[in-house]
Amino acid sequence: AQKITQTQPGMFVQEKEAVTLDCTYDTSDPSYGLFWYKQPSSGEMIFLIYQGSYDQQNATEGRYSLNFQKARKSANLVISASQLGDSAMYFCAMRERADGLTFGKGTHLIIQP
Amino acid sequence: EAGVAQSPRYKIIEKRQSVAFWCNPISGHATLYWYQQILGQGPKLLIQFQNNGVVDDSQLPKDRFSAERLKGVDSTLKIQPAKLEDSAVYLCASSFLPQGLNTEAFFGQGTRLTVV
């Protein structure tokens, strides 16, 4: 079974609009961490934001925020005021225990001027 | 601060040949990972080292893939013999110890392997 599901293979968004990238996850472990990474065409993975399963507040980092709905097992990334430089692949990932990250298939975001 | 270094950036080989990739993690990072990213998919963990010991290699195809991390610093991932389905980007990442749920992994730019 997929542990991380990203249902949007691609998205087109107008510059300056907000965009929400969907992520649902599956785990029976009560303690886990959720990450979002950005992968531009150059290939490196850039860490954006983290949410712990016990965190009471939704995580925010600048223009990035994470809409964490624990009961629904969803961890959607919200990018406010999108910019042309936000065009990239976006990956949701989960860590359980001290394991490596398990990634979803990603969403290809294209920001249009 | 220098990032995770990987070489080569690109490699094209014929099937059944062997190939090796090198990774130098961020100084002081005890944990090192190798991921395989097939086109159109997210990265898949192949192996995780803590210092020079293997923590998890459950998804490493051990009949053809091998990895080592001598002296707990640099690491080499080898494929022998390569198959067409090994065409992918191989990403190396590293992180600090102790590793908690929120420990960020820092990634290199990857090696793009094409098997023809």
Side-chain angles (χ1 to χ4, degrees), chain A residues 11-85:
Chain A
M11 286 186 74
F12 288 87
V13 172
Q14 288 294 120
E15 191 181 5
K16 298 178 186 170
E17 288 185 351
V19 56
T20 298
L21 305 181
D22 295 341
C23 172
T24 57
Y25 58 92
D26 183 28
T27 181
S28 57
D29 202 322
S31 184
Y32 52 89
L34 297 159
F35 296 75
W36 277 91
Y37 278 84
K38 172 184 179 181
Q39 187 178 43
S41 55
S42 51
E44 76 273 26
M45 301 285 281
I46 302 167
F47 167 75
L48 296 178
I49 196 166
Y50 168 82
Q51 180 85 41
S53 59
Y54 293 118
D55 293 344
Q56 295 297 313
Q57 307 259 22
N58 284 345
T60 60
E61 290 283 351
R63 293 187 300 113
Y64 304 108
S65 60
L66 204 152
N67 184 2
F68 180 47
Q69 298 188 46
K70 195 170 182 177
R72 293 186 177 186
K73 292 189 175 178
S74 77
N76 298 339
L77 176 70
V78 180
I79 306 174
S80 63
S82 57
Q83 302 170 356
L84 296 178

